[in-house]
Amino acid sequence: AQTVTQSQPEMSVQEAETVTLSCTYDTSESDYYLFWYKQPPSRQMILVIRQEAYKQQNATENRFSVNFQKAAKSFSLKISDSQLGDAAMYFCAYRSADGSSNTGKLIFGQGTTLQVKP
Amino acid sequence: DGGITQSPKYLFRKEGQNVTLSCEQNLNHDAMYWYRQDPGQGLRLIYYSQIVNDFQKGDIAEGYSVSREKKESFPLTVTSAQKNPTAFYLCASSTSGHPYNEQFFGPGTRLTVL
């Protein structure tokens, strides 16, 4: 079974600086998808960024980028030029690409709460 | 505007009662999901449905039931058999067919057992 681990329960960053949130996962599959979701205080989950495992190039979305290390099974999220609105809980998630077992379900990590200091 | 609605936002239940959480989407998505969120544990899958009139158990289905009679609706019933139902419940939906597709989430329902 696949697992996702976020070892940092809480992180803080100064406004306008850069922060990296860690995520590791365990799987025996070679093809899969990885996601970062943001959950602000409103608790509405919002997709931040996603990565296809067979693509070596790291995904980027404006100020958000990932460092995907497939061999190390690591998928960290870097937030550049942090803004007050980035304060939220961030979840790393895994989804299998295996068609036979693909329920579409996401396997989530425990989450990291990010505080942004003005 | 397209999206997912969940109701109620807050729900209180006495022990021994069944309660039903509503989830409706107007995104024309085939697949719908129910997750449970507990502090420090992330989200866990309760049930999912990839098509009308069909659904499967997720990782923590015991004490829960669902139905999928309409494409737009996927209600979750928390039964008295659920030992520890106090949690935050999130409904999600996505287009089916490719695991890269984004799952969209509703605003959630906070259930508290008194």
Side-chain angles (χ1 to χ4, degrees):
Chain A
Q2 297 84 17
T3 59
V4 178
T5 302
Q6 294 178 249
S7 58
Q8 307 155 315
E10 296 179 354
M11 294 280 285
S12 66
V13 63
Q14 208 67 38
E15 194 176 5
E17 296 192 343
T18 296
V19 65
T20 298
L21 308 184
S22 300
C23 172
T24 58
Y25 57 93
D26 189 26
T27 184
S28 59
E29 299 177 329
S30 59
D31 198 13
Y32 48 86
Y33 299 84
L34 297 165
F35 302 81
W36 277 99
Y37 275 88
K38 170 184 178 181
Q39 188 179 44
S42 67
R43 307 205 76 171
Q44 177 84 49
M45 297 280 282
I46 303 164
L47 178 65
V48 175
I49 198 167
R50 51 189 155 179
Q51 173 82 37
E52 302 170 70
Y54 63 85
K55 284 190 176 180
Q56 293 193 356
Q57 185 174 3
N58 290 322
T60 61
E61 288 286 345
N62 300 315
R63 298 182 295 107
F64 298 88
S65 62
V66 299
N67 183 4
F68 174 49
Q69 302 286 331
K70 191 172 184 179
K73 297 180 182 175
S74 172
F75 183 60
S76 59
L77 173 69
K78 185 171 84 170
I79 306 174
S80 304
D81 185 24
S82 296
Q83 301 175 359
L84 294 177
D86 295 334
M89 181 167 280
Y90 288 82
F91 290 95
C92 178
Y94 172 104
R95 184 189 254 172
S96 172
D98 180 355
S100 63
S101 65
N102 181 20
T103 64
K105 79 172 185 180
L106 291 165
I107 300 169
F108 286 87
Q110 302 92 327
T112 297
T113 299
L114 177 66
Q115 180 185 26
V116 181
K117 298 177 180 178
Chain B
D1 288 335
I4 301 175
T5 57
Q6 291 186 242
S7 61
K9 187 172 181 179
Y10 299 98
L11 187 56
F12 298 90
R13 190 195 91 173
K14 293 182 180 179
E15 286 194 23
Q17 285 182 336
N18 292 354
V19 290
T20 298
L21 283 59
S22 169
C23 177
E24 303 276 334
Q25 55 98 359
N26 61 4
L27 300 168
N28 199 32
H29 287 167
D30 288 310
M32 296 187 75
Y33 308 85
W34 274 105
Y35 292 92
R36 170 179 169 144
Q37 184 176 11
D38 294 284
Q41 294 194 46
L43 282 70
R44 293 178 291 167
L45 183 68
I46 305 172
Y47 267 97
Y48 64 98
S49 167
Q50 293 184 310
I51 197 168
V52 175
N53 292 323
D54 187 48
F55 49 84
Q56 285 80 39
K57 293 181 179 179
D59 300 319
I60 55 166
E62 184 176 351
Y64 299 98
S65 66
V66 294
S67 63
R68 187 84 188 276
E69 297 175 0
K70 298 186 301 180
K71 188 175 185 179
E72 302 79 20
S73 178
F74 192 41
L76 173 74
T77 296
V78 184
T79 75
S80 56
Q82 168 51 233
K83 297 279 189 281
N84 183 20
T86 294
F88 188 65
Y89 292 86
L90 285 158
C91 178
S93 71
S94 71
T95 55
S96 60
H98 199 285
Y100 189 71
N101 293 338
E102 178 181 354
Q103 278 191 17
F104 293 85
F105 285 81
T109 292
R110 174 72 184 175
L111 173 63
T112 302
V113 173
L114 303 174

